[in-house]
Structure formats: structure tokens, C-alpha cells
Amino acid sequence: MHAARLDTLHLYGSALDTETHRIQPGVPAPPLVVGSCAEVVDGAIAGTLLERETTIRAFVMALDDPQRVIIGANIAYDMLVIAVELARRGIDAMPAIFAAYQQGRVYDIQVAEALHAIAEGHLGKDPRTSKQLKDPITGKMGRYSLSICTDLVLGRIDAKRNDRWRQSYALLEHVPIAEWPEDARTYPVDDARNTLEVALAQCGLMPNVGLHRWRDGRCLQCGTPMTHDAPVVCVSRWRRRNLHTLADEVYTSWALHLGASWGLRTDAASVDALEAAARAGREANMPDLVRLGYLRADGSENGAVVKRAVALAYGCSGVCGVCGGTQKVPSPKSGNPINCSECSATGLNLDSAPVPRTDPSTKFPKGQVQTGRDILTESGDEDLMFYGYAQEDDKILDTYCPDLRKGCAQPVNLRPNNPLETGRVSYTGGELVLGTVQLLPRQVSARLLAELKRRGGHVIGVRDCIVPDPGWLFYSNDFSGGELVTFAESCVLRVGFSELGKALNLGLDAHAALGATMLGWPMEKMAAVLKDKAHPEHKRAKNFRQCAKWGNFGFMGGMGELKFTLTQRRQGADTPHPSGPSQVWDGEAFVAGYRGMRLCILVDGADACGKVKVTEYKRQSCPPTCKACIDVAKRIRESWLRQWPEAKPYLEWHSNNADTIGEVVQHYSNRIRGGARFCAESNGDFQGLLADVAKRAQCRVSLEQYVRVIVDDPTSRYYGQLSPLYGVSRSIFFAHDELFGVTHEDVGHDVSCRVNEIMVEEFRKACPNHAPACKAEPTLMGRWWKAAEPVWHRGRLAAWSPSHNQKTCQECRA
DNA sequence: GAGGGGCGCGCC
DNA sequence: AAACGGCGCGCCCCTC
């Protein structure tokens, strides 16, 4: 892929924009009404309003001109609109569109500005104020829209001033343009002109505004001397940063937009069942929680009551010196009684006992009393423990069920947000847009699961409410242990070697290897015991491997033993224990055991967790935490450092770099990231690398899905043939290390295998030192089952369903 | 009534 | 010296 010809954008750049019918559910690429174009003519920006057919011709001409760079704001949207218009006319525009992206001839000012902000370390913030980006006209929170970019790059807040017609062009569809109101004609032209101007300024072909870059008493960019009355804003012709990565990111945004436009469909009956089961639980618990005062009669939480209960349970006593125990103080602004911030509305003396508190802030000088589930459970107070479990399904009811509802009547579309700080991708929500597609729970609570089973039906969670159209299957391919490999690659590139990488290249199980070191066993013994279920130490070996696994993943980002212990206690699997304190809710009742993973029991075989608790570790206060667990975590971390000797220098490299340089160049993509602290930087190195790999794989998968491509990789089982993806499969979305889409059910095997080939190939390109370890895994399924695994039937991949608990098809086993 | 900060929690 | 990260969203609470 070559980079866009940014130094000659004024000669070859055309800003193009479309105005369409409103975006409607299921119609993400609505019909075109009118368009506009802006180019540099005789040194000035000339904008033109284009009638519908002229707009389409303008796009086609620009796409076919190998010199031309198409410039837009969220250009993927316009590109799809045009592709759909052309398809209606019997013309397949996809080859030309993909070619333009591959040649780096598409420029998106929004992506460019986000990339610049990543380099400068202020993504999503206005660098002048360090506050969240806001639309200069509407004042609403936003991302890098055209009007925000115009403000940030040109220092003008007048973009979109004629936006009265923006949402209403359908009304004008059958009115001759000559009869349109003046502002309906100027708005699209202004958009195109602003877009072009922003692009030229970003490329340094026109002055732009930005922050000063002080060196030796002067601004490197504008030359202004550094004095106390120097202008706040720097005006210069310095180019925006990270433009060398623009072409790839714009291409990615196009591939993601294509998938997002198809969207996802949900099964109404399944959502009904899920919601009813969750609601039943909430209603059953409601009277008790109202009686305890945690909830008000209307079901809302009374935070002051909960926080006071927590503070009491953790031993606080005495009276708050500010509110005198009333929990309320008069507001300095309005005089209304508001919660006392000194005591976090507990009315108690917070210094009288080590109650878990959030970090202090200006608003809460002592922090607020924490009320998370883990804190409630550990309090030892039965009412609070009950409340912790009663809350478990609230998120299902309040967040996920309403989101799933969006897809019942017609597919719910997605709105990708690319790139993020690390290079990953997120999805934004909104009316009839699913913003939580990457965040849907993989499993529901034991109580909810029991309730769902009691009611019959086949829904067992949130994700399986999502279904493909009849005749289609979902494919889901993910990189196997992707971050272990990219971490190893990062280590080779930063410090010159990686023992982890060598192990992965040999096909060794890195988690078992670390577990063996922790046990003091040779790897051979570890492997044998893990395999032998009858071995007396089998269970112990499995526990060690599990803890080693979380260690391998956590410590790469610089995690310490305290946070590791707390994270496992909060998020790990429960620890059943015969003499435990009955914290584990099995769906019916509390049974003996601890909530969350308890390292002291699993690794050291302790007879109880929390015999000694610390409330301070390394001079930092913390929630009461089992000392024995922290000791185990410390040993795991030490084993980890011994096992992978590259880890220490790797972390030291980032520690030093974060403190002295303050920015880092990502491997492979060469994207600059600024402003990351040590942990963020250590993480970003391998997280971003995997994201870049996955995005390139996504682009190639999309290409083969929409354009006839003959597979030219001799190692491919499809060498010399038309890609099996073409015409029978579509990507839908992307979850960091997972490519998710649909395929005709009869070709599911070839589709998921080809997607896998592409993923592995791209993985190897980015991690050449670990090619043998670069792997991915395909899965097919008739619903989005999180538990799905590859199932093979007569040598071909088959659809997984919950009745499968082995990696072979049930038919084949029979 | 809108919006913004703080928090907690879902994912990878 | 010591330190996992970045996301989106709902709720509560407060302000305007």
C-alpha cells in the first residue's frame, strides 16, 4: 500500500461530499439527493454544487484517475452511498473503490485529525483547553466531525452554519436545484470547501493552528519567542503528524464501515426470554432492598445509604466533622442539602477505619466510599453481600436488553470509531445503533442462567440473542494467544531477544511453562501431569497453569502484585472451599467458598483466605486484601520475570522512554503515540501491534469479499482460484483480535478457512520473528454462542451448537 | 430538563 | 521506585 501524495494535494485533491435521505434503521446507505465538490483552481478553492448524476460521475472520474486523491469527512459513508447508487444502475464500483483505497488515494480529514491527536497525546480532547471535544456550534460532545476539525485545524467555528437542510434533503429530491432555497444550495458546497481546506492545512499546504512546540526558547513551528505574552495558538505550516499511517487507517475505516452497514439482527423471542428472566430476579429482590434502604420505592439506588452501610461494615465509627453525622450539607451554590463530600455521605469519620475509597479528587478530597460488588462481598455484611448479588443482572436489564431490542425489527447498524489511542477500534452507540457490540457479556450470572433454564427455551445468555439470517452462519476467527506473540515480537524489537518467543515458536504452552517454573517442576513433568487426569497432582497443576496464564497476560503491561491480586479477586472464577465463608452463589443459595480467584488457596493450598489482611501495600492504601494472596502474586510475578528474562529490560525500556521521550513509535505501522505513561506505553506496544495486524487482515478479508481476487499465495489451499470469500460472505464487525461475519451456510468451511489464512499471513508479516507462533482459529455457529469452538465433520469445519462439548461433530462421534 | 463528573462494570 | 491498558454505557448526583 502506498501513502497518499500529500505534498501535491492542492493539485490532485478533490473534496467530495454527498447529501442523502436520512439514515434509517436498516438503510445505512440511503439514496443520494445532491453532492458537492471542491478543488484548488488557480490557487483558490472553488466549490461546486453537483446534481445527483453529476455527483456519481464525479466520484467515478475521481476513482478512475490514478493521480486523484478523494478527500472527505467520514468519506466511507459517501463512498458506500455512491457504490449503492451505481449498483442500482448495474455498475459494480467496488473494484475501483478498493483500488483507490489500496493506492492511498482516499483522504479522510477526521481520521487524519485523530491520528495527529494520538501522536500528540490528546485524542478526544481539545488541545487548547484539555477538555473533551465539543461541537463549536451545538456544544454537544463529539468526535472529530467536520465542524470540530474545522475549528481545530483552521481555528474557525463557522462550519455547518447552513445546516438547516442537512437532515432534510429528501424533501428537495423532486425540486429543481434552481428553485432550492439559497442555504440548501450553499450548505453542501461549504462542506466540501471546508473539507478541502482542512485537508490542505493538515498537510501543511495552508497555514493551520495547533499547539506551540517549544525548543530553545522559540516555537519550532511558528518561530515565536517563548515569552509570557506569546499567543496561545500557534499558526504554522507544519504538517499534522502520523499522516504516514493515514492511508491504512482510512482503508480500515472503509472496511469497517462496510460491515457495520449490514449490522446485526436479534431474535425477539430470545430477548423477551432474557429480559423476563432478569426482570423476575430484580422484582423478587426489590422489597428486601427497599426495606434495607439501598433502593428507593421507585427502584433507584440511594447511594448515601449504601455508602454508610459499607463504611459501618468496614468498621468506621464516630461522626463526620463537617456534616455532624447528618450525611448532608447545604450546597455552597444553591443552598440545597446535598451529600457531604467530606465523609462521602456516610455521616461517619472515614479516618476511623480502612474503608475502601476511590482516589481523592477535588470534589471528594478523601475519595468516595467504594460500593463495587467485590467490596460489598468482602465486607462480611450479609445484607451488603445480598445486595451485591442482587445487582448482578441489572446491567443485563438496563444496558444490554435495550440494546438487543434495537435489532429485533430490522438489523441494527454499527458505527465504528477508528483509530483509538492504541490503534484499536471501538463502536459508538446512538439511536438505533449498537454501541456495545464489543462489550456484550460472554456469560450471565448463575442466578440468571438457572432462571433461564427453569423457564425452558434455548437462550442461555446475551450474545446468543444475536442470529444470522436464515441460510447463513456466523463465522468468528480470532488470533490464538495473539498478545503473547506480539509481546514477544515487541521484546525482540525493543531489547533484542525473547525467550517467550522461542517457546511459542516451538509450540510450547507458555502458561504451562510458567506454571512449571512456579512449581519447580521440569516442563516435561508439567505437561504429563496436566494430561493425566488421574494424577494426584493434576488439579494442582491445572490451578498453577491458570494462575500463570493470568500472570502472563497481566504482567506484560507492568501490572504489580497488588493489582493482580485484586483483579483476580474481582474478576476471576470463584474459589469453592469447604470451610469458606459462603460467598459463592450457585443460583439457588450461597455455598461454601470465596467469590473470585483466591491465589493463596489455589497455589499455596491455604485453609482460608484473608486470615491476615493488609490495607496498605508499598505505601499505598488499598481495600483490605489477603496478605497471603499478595505474597503468592509476588512470587508469580518473580517467576514470570525469571521465566521470560526479556520482560524486565522490556519494561525498563518503556519506563525510561515514557519518562524521558514521552512518545513511542509503534512497530510495523510506525504510528506515533504521545503522552502515554509507562503502563499505557508497555501495553500499547503489543496491543497496538495486534490491532494493526487485525486491521490489515480485516482490509484484505473485505477486499476478497467484495472484489474478485485470485488468490496468489502459493501456500494457500485456494492458490490460483477465485477467493472463496467473494459474494458469499460479509464481515460484520471486529473485536480487537476477532473477525466476525456471516457466510452462506454451505460454504462456511471455505470462508472461515480463507479468513484464517489471511489472518495468519498478515500476522506473520508483522511478526516475522515468530512466524511459527502466528496462528488463528476459525469457528462457525448458527447463533453467536460465546462458548463456540471449532467443530470438524469429515475434515470440514461445521457449525458449533451448545450440544457440542467436544471438538468433533456429534455425528462423527456417533 | 439537559449536561457533565464520578463511578462501576461489561469486553478484549 | 513503582505502575496493566482503552474502550462505551447506565446510573447517581449535582449544577444551571
PDB file of all heavy atoms in Angstrom, chain A residues 484-508:
ATOM      1  N   LEU A 484       0.376 -12.615  23.315  1.00  0.00           N
ATOM      2  CA  LEU A 484       1.637 -13.236  23.724  1.00  0.00           C
ATOM      3  C   LEU A 484       2.652 -13.127  22.592  1.00  0.00           C
ATOM      4  O   LEU A 484       3.831 -12.823  22.807  1.00  0.00           O
ATOM      5  CB  LEU A 484       1.428 -14.710  24.083  1.00  0.00           C
ATOM      6  CG  LEU A 484       0.721 -15.025  25.397  1.00  0.00           C
ATOM      7  CD1 LEU A 484       0.606 -16.532  25.570  1.00  0.00           C
ATOM      8  CD2 LEU A 484       1.465 -14.415  26.566  1.00  0.00           C
ATOM      9  N   VAL A 485       2.176 -13.359  21.384  1.00  0.00           N
ATOM     10  CA  VAL A 485       3.081 -13.314  20.229  1.00  0.00           C
ATOM     11  C   VAL A 485       3.533 -11.880  19.962  1.00  0.00           C
ATOM     12  O   VAL A 485       4.725 -11.623  19.740  1.00  0.00           O
ATOM     13  CB  VAL A 485       2.393 -13.914  18.981  1.00  0.00           C
ATOM     14  CG1 VAL A 485       3.315 -13.821  17.772  1.00  0.00           C
ATOM     15  CG2 VAL A 485       1.985 -15.362  19.235  1.00  0.00           C
ATOM     16  N   THR A 486       2.592 -10.932  20.003  1.00  0.00           N
ATOM     17  CA  THR A 486       3.017  -9.554  19.716  1.00  0.00           C
ATOM     18  C   THR A 486       3.889  -9.010  20.842  1.00  0.00           C
ATOM     19  O   THR A 486       4.756  -8.178  20.603  1.00  0.00           O
ATOM     20  CB  THR A 486       1.814  -8.627  19.470  1.00  0.00           C
ATOM     21  OG1 THR A 486       0.905  -8.699  20.563  1.00  0.00           O
ATOM     22  CG2 THR A 486       1.101  -8.994  18.186  1.00  0.00           C
ATOM     23  N   PHE A 487       3.672  -9.505  22.063  1.00  0.00           N
ATOM     24  CA  PHE A 487       4.576  -9.104  23.156  1.00  0.00           C
ATOM     25  C   PHE A 487       5.984  -9.615  22.873  1.00  0.00           C
ATOM     26  O   PHE A 487       6.976  -8.876  22.998  1.00  0.00           O
ATOM     27  CB  PHE A 487       4.071  -9.653  24.498  1.00  0.00           C
ATOM     28  CG  PHE A 487       4.998  -9.402  25.656  1.00  0.00           C
ATOM     29  CD1 PHE A 487       5.137  -8.141  26.194  1.00  0.00           C
ATOM     30  CD2 PHE A 487       5.734 -10.438  26.204  1.00  0.00           C
ATOM     31  CE1 PHE A 487       5.999  -7.904  27.257  1.00  0.00           C
ATOM     32  CE2 PHE A 487       6.588 -10.217  27.275  1.00  0.00           C
ATOM     33  CZ  PHE A 487       6.721  -8.943  27.799  1.00  0.00           C
ATOM     34  N   ALA A 488       6.065 -10.879  22.478  1.00  0.00           N
ATOM     35  CA  ALA A 488       7.377 -11.457  22.169  1.00  0.00           C
ATOM     36  C   ALA A 488       8.042 -10.683  21.036  1.00  0.00           C
ATOM     37  O   ALA A 488       9.231 -10.353  21.103  1.00  0.00           O
ATOM     38  CB  ALA A 488       7.226 -12.932  21.799  1.00  0.00           C
ATOM     39  N   GLU A 489       7.267 -10.372  20.007  1.00  0.00           N
ATOM     40  CA  GLU A 489       7.828  -9.617  18.879  1.00  0.00           C
ATOM     41  C   GLU A 489       8.302  -8.244  19.342  1.00  0.00           C
ATOM     42  O   GLU A 489       9.377  -7.776  18.952  1.00  0.00           O
ATOM     43  CB  GLU A 489       6.767  -9.484  17.779  1.00  0.00           C
ATOM     44  CG  GLU A 489       7.266  -8.892  16.481  1.00  0.00           C
ATOM     45  CD  GLU A 489       8.112  -9.871  15.666  1.00  0.00           C
ATOM     46  OE1 GLU A 489       8.065 -11.081  15.943  1.00  0.00           O
ATOM     47  OE2 GLU A 489       8.833  -9.401  14.749  1.00  0.00           O
ATOM     48  N   SER A 490       7.497  -7.615  20.192  1.00  0.00           N
ATOM     49  CA  SER A 490       7.892  -6.299  20.711  1.00  0.00           C
ATOM     50  C   SER A 490       9.191  -6.401  21.495  1.00  0.00           C
ATOM     51  O   SER A 490      10.055  -5.517  21.407  1.00  0.00           O
ATOM     52  CB  SER A 490       6.790  -5.731  21.619  1.00  0.00           C
ATOM     53  OG  SER A 490       5.595  -5.547  20.904  1.00  0.00           O
ATOM     54  N   CYS A 491       9.338  -7.472  22.264  1.00  0.00           N
ATOM     55  CA  CYS A 491      10.564  -7.639  23.042  1.00  0.00           C
ATOM     56  C   CYS A 491      11.773  -7.790  22.127  1.00  0.00           C
ATOM     57  O   CYS A 491      12.827  -7.203  22.375  1.00  0.00           O
ATOM     58  CB  CYS A 491      10.446  -8.840  23.974  1.00  0.00           C
ATOM     59  SG  CYS A 491       9.369  -8.537  25.381  1.00  0.00           S
ATOM     60  N   VAL A 492      11.615  -8.592  21.074  1.00  0.00           N
ATOM     61  CA  VAL A 492      12.730  -8.750  20.136  1.00  0.00           C
ATOM     62  C   VAL A 492      13.120  -7.387  19.571  1.00  0.00           C
ATOM     63  O   VAL A 492      14.306  -7.046  19.467  1.00  0.00           O
ATOM     64  CB  VAL A 492      12.351  -9.727  19.006  1.00  0.00           C
ATOM     65  CG1 VAL A 492      13.380  -9.682  17.887  1.00  0.00           C
ATOM     66  CG2 VAL A 492      12.219 -11.145  19.552  1.00  0.00           C
ATOM     67  N   LEU A 493      12.119  -6.591  19.224  1.00  0.00           N
ATOM     68  CA  LEU A 493      12.415  -5.309  18.584  1.00  0.00           C
ATOM     69  C   LEU A 493      12.922  -4.270  19.579  1.00  0.00           C
ATOM     70  O   LEU A 493      13.693  -3.395  19.212  1.00  0.00           O
ATOM     71  CB  LEU A 493      11.160  -4.804  17.860  1.00  0.00           C
ATOM     72  CG  LEU A 493      10.691  -5.725  16.727  1.00  0.00           C
ATOM     73  CD1 LEU A 493       9.367  -5.248  16.148  1.00  0.00           C
ATOM     74  CD2 LEU A 493      11.742  -5.786  15.626  1.00  0.00           C
ATOM     75  N   ARG A 494      12.478  -4.340  20.829  1.00  0.00           N
ATOM     76  CA  ARG A 494      12.914  -3.342  21.808  1.00  0.00           C
ATOM     77  C   ARG A 494      14.217  -3.715  22.478  1.00  0.00           C
ATOM     78  O   ARG A 494      15.054  -2.869  22.728  1.00  0.00           O
ATOM     79  CB  ARG A 494      11.843  -3.148  22.898  1.00  0.00           C
ATOM     80  CG  ARG A 494      10.539  -2.549  22.437  1.00  0.00           C
ATOM     81  CD  ARG A 494      10.634  -1.069  22.165  1.00  0.00           C
ATOM     82  NE  ARG A 494       9.334  -0.578  21.700  1.00  0.00           N
ATOM     83  CZ  ARG A 494       9.177   0.313  20.734  1.00  0.00           C
ATOM     84  NH1 ARG A 494      10.230   0.829  20.124  1.00  0.00           N
ATOM     85  NH2 ARG A 494       7.981   0.700  20.362  1.00  0.00           N
ATOM     86  N   VAL A 495      14.350  -4.995  22.866  1.00  0.00           N
ATOM     87  CA  VAL A 495      15.524  -5.374  23.642  1.00  0.00           C
ATOM     88  C   VAL A 495      16.325  -6.510  23.013  1.00  0.00           C
ATOM     89  O   VAL A 495      17.300  -6.976  23.602  1.00  0.00           O
ATOM     90  CB  VAL A 495      15.158  -5.723  25.104  1.00  0.00           C
ATOM     91  CG1 VAL A 495      14.493  -4.535  25.760  1.00  0.00           C
ATOM     92  CG2 VAL A 495      14.260  -6.947  25.185  1.00  0.00           C
ATOM     93  N   GLY A 496      15.899  -6.959  21.835  1.00  0.00           N
ATOM     94  CA  GLY A 496      16.775  -7.836  21.073  1.00  0.00           C
ATOM     95  C   GLY A 496      16.564  -9.331  21.210  1.00  0.00           C
ATOM     96  O   GLY A 496      17.175 -10.103  20.485  1.00  0.00           O
ATOM     97  N   PHE A 497      15.717  -9.764  22.133  1.00  0.00           N
ATOM     98  CA  PHE A 497      15.512 -11.213  22.250  1.00  0.00           C
ATOM     99  C   PHE A 497      14.203 -11.484  22.979  1.00  0.00           C
ATOM    100  O   PHE A 497      13.624 -10.571  23.596  1.00  0.00           O
ATOM    101  CB  PHE A 497      16.662 -11.859  23.023  1.00  0.00           C
ATOM    102  CG  PHE A 497      16.630 -11.577  24.506  1.00  0.00           C
ATOM    103  CD1 PHE A 497      16.206 -12.553  25.416  1.00  0.00           C
ATOM    104  CD2 PHE A 497      16.988 -10.331  24.992  1.00  0.00           C
ATOM    105  CE1 PHE A 497      16.174 -12.295  26.766  1.00  0.00           C
ATOM    106  CE2 PHE A 497      16.954 -10.070  26.357  1.00  0.00           C
ATOM    107  CZ  PHE A 497      16.544 -11.058  27.244  1.00  0.00           C
ATOM    108  N   SER A 498      13.735 -12.730  22.887  1.00  0.00           N
ATOM    109  CA  SER A 498      12.551 -13.121  23.643  1.00  0.00           C
ATOM    110  C   SER A 498      12.528 -14.621  23.862  1.00  0.00           C
ATOM    111  O   SER A 498      12.379 -15.395  22.912  1.00  0.00           O
ATOM    112  CB  SER A 498      11.273 -12.682  22.918  1.00  0.00           C
ATOM    113  OG  SER A 498      10.142 -13.197  23.607  1.00  0.00           O
ATOM    114  N   GLU A 499      12.697 -15.011  25.100  1.00  0.00           N
ATOM    115  CA  GLU A 499      12.593 -16.435  25.432  1.00  0.00           C
ATOM    116  C   GLU A 499      11.159 -16.911  25.265  1.00  0.00           C
ATOM    117  O   GLU A 499      10.906 -18.042  24.857  1.00  0.00           O
ATOM    118  CB  GLU A 499      13.052 -16.688  26.879  1.00  0.00           C
ATOM    119  CG  GLU A 499      14.529 -16.420  27.115  1.00  0.00           C
ATOM    120  CD  GLU A 499      15.422 -17.302  26.250  1.00  0.00           C
ATOM    121  OE1 GLU A 499      15.066 -18.476  26.011  1.00  0.00           O
ATOM    122  OE2 GLU A 499      16.480 -16.814  25.793  1.00  0.00           O
ATOM    123  N   LEU A 500      10.225 -16.036  25.567  1.00  0.00           N
ATOM    124  CA  LEU A 500       8.811 -16.379  25.346  1.00  0.00           C
ATOM    125  C   LEU A 500       8.592 -16.694  23.869  1.00  0.00           C
ATOM    126  O   LEU A 500       7.932 -17.679  23.512  1.00  0.00           O
ATOM    127  CB  LEU A 500       7.912 -15.220  25.794  1.00  0.00           C
ATOM    128  CG  LEU A 500       6.424 -15.347  25.445  1.00  0.00           C
ATOM    129  CD1 LEU A 500       5.795 -16.551  26.143  1.00  0.00           C
ATOM    130  CD2 LEU A 500       5.661 -14.082  25.817  1.00  0.00           C
ATOM    131  N   GLY A 501       9.155 -15.842  23.024  1.00  0.00           N
ATOM    132  CA  GLY A 501       9.002 -16.049  21.589  1.00  0.00           C
ATOM    133  C   GLY A 501       9.581 -17.390  21.156  1.00  0.00           C
ATOM    134  O   GLY A 501       8.980 -18.106  20.353  1.00  0.00           O
ATOM    135  N   LYS A 502      10.760 -17.741  21.714  1.00  0.00           N
ATOM    136  CA  LYS A 502      11.352 -19.034  21.349  1.00  0.00           C
ATOM    137  C   LYS A 502      10.422 -20.171  21.752  1.00  0.00           C
ATOM    138  O   LYS A 502      10.227 -21.123  20.998  1.00  0.00           O
ATOM    139  CB  LYS A 502      12.700 -19.205  22.056  1.00  0.00           C
ATOM    140  CG  LYS A 502      13.809 -18.358  21.454  1.00  0.00           C
ATOM    141  CD  LYS A 502      15.121 -18.588  22.205  1.00  0.00           C
ATOM    142  CE  LYS A 502      16.086 -17.424  21.955  1.00  0.00           C
ATOM    143  NZ  LYS A 502      17.166 -17.387  22.947  1.00  0.00           N
ATOM    144  N   ALA A 503       9.852 -20.052  22.961  1.00  0.00           N
ATOM    145  CA  ALA A 503       8.938 -21.105  23.427  1.00  0.00           C
ATOM    146  C   ALA A 503       7.714 -21.192  22.515  1.00  0.00           C
ATOM    147  O   ALA A 503       7.294 -22.289  22.129  1.00  0.00           O
ATOM    148  CB  ALA A 503       8.515 -20.825  24.863  1.00  0.00           C
ATOM    149  N   LEU A 504       7.164 -20.033  22.163  1.00  0.00           N
ATOM    150  CA  LEU A 504       5.975 -20.042  21.317  1.00  0.00           C
ATOM    151  C   LEU A 504       6.298 -20.609  19.943  1.00  0.00           C
ATOM    152  O   LEU A 504       5.506 -21.358  19.354  1.00  0.00           O
ATOM    153  CB  LEU A 504       5.418 -18.625  21.178  1.00  0.00           C
ATOM    154  CG  LEU A 504       4.862 -17.999  22.465  1.00  0.00           C
ATOM    155  CD1 LEU A 504       4.528 -16.523  22.248  1.00  0.00           C
ATOM    156  CD2 LEU A 504       3.626 -18.746  22.949  1.00  0.00           C
ATOM    157  N   ASN A 505       7.479 -20.272  19.429  1.00  0.00           N
ATOM    158  CA  ASN A 505       7.872 -20.803  18.119  1.00  0.00           C
ATOM    159  C   ASN A 505       8.003 -22.314  18.138  1.00  0.00           C
ATOM    160  O   ASN A 505       7.796 -22.980  17.120  1.00  0.00           O
ATOM    161  CB  ASN A 505       9.202 -20.184  17.681  1.00  0.00           C
ATOM    162  CG  ASN A 505       9.002 -18.842  17.006  1.00  0.00           C
ATOM    163  OD1 ASN A 505       7.882 -18.499  16.609  1.00  0.00           O
ATOM    164  ND2 ASN A 505      10.072 -18.085  16.875  1.00  0.00           N
ATOM    165  N   LEU A 506       8.356 -22.873  19.310  1.00  0.00           N
ATOM    166  CA  LEU A 506       8.461 -24.325  19.422  1.00  0.00           C
ATOM    167  C   LEU A 506       7.106 -24.975  19.673  1.00  0.00           C
ATOM    168  O   LEU A 506       7.006 -26.188  19.823  1.00  0.00           O
ATOM    169  CB  LEU A 506       9.416 -24.692  20.571  1.00  0.00           C
ATOM    170  CG  LEU A 506      10.893 -24.357  20.321  1.00  0.00           C
ATOM    171  CD1 LEU A 506      11.703 -24.545  21.597  1.00  0.00           C
ATOM    172  CD2 LEU A 506      11.438 -25.238  19.203  1.00  0.00           C
ATOM    173  N   GLY A 507       6.083 -24.143  19.772  1.00  0.00           N
ATOM    174  CA  GLY A 507       4.743 -24.688  20.009  1.00  0.00           C
ATOM    175  C   GLY A 507       4.495 -25.021  21.465  1.00  0.00           C
ATOM    176  O   GLY A 507       3.559 -25.750  21.797  1.00  0.00           O
ATOM    177  N   LEU A 508       5.344 -24.496  22.369  1.00  0.00           N
ATOM    178  CA  LEU A 508       5.156 -24.791  23.788  1.00  0.00           C
ATOM    179  C   LEU A 508       3.991 -23.996  24.359  1.00  0.00           C
ATOM    180  O   LEU A 508       3.654 -22.923  23.884  1.00  0.00           O
ATOM    181  CB  LEU A 508       6.430 -24.460  24.569  1.00  0.00           C
ATOM    182  CG  LEU A 508       7.653 -25.326  24.252  1.00  0.00           C
ATOM    183  CD1 LEU A 508       8.822 -24.901  25.137  1.00  0.00           C
ATOM    184  CD2 LEU A 508       7.322 -26.797  24.487  1.00  0.00           C
TER     185      LEU A 508
END
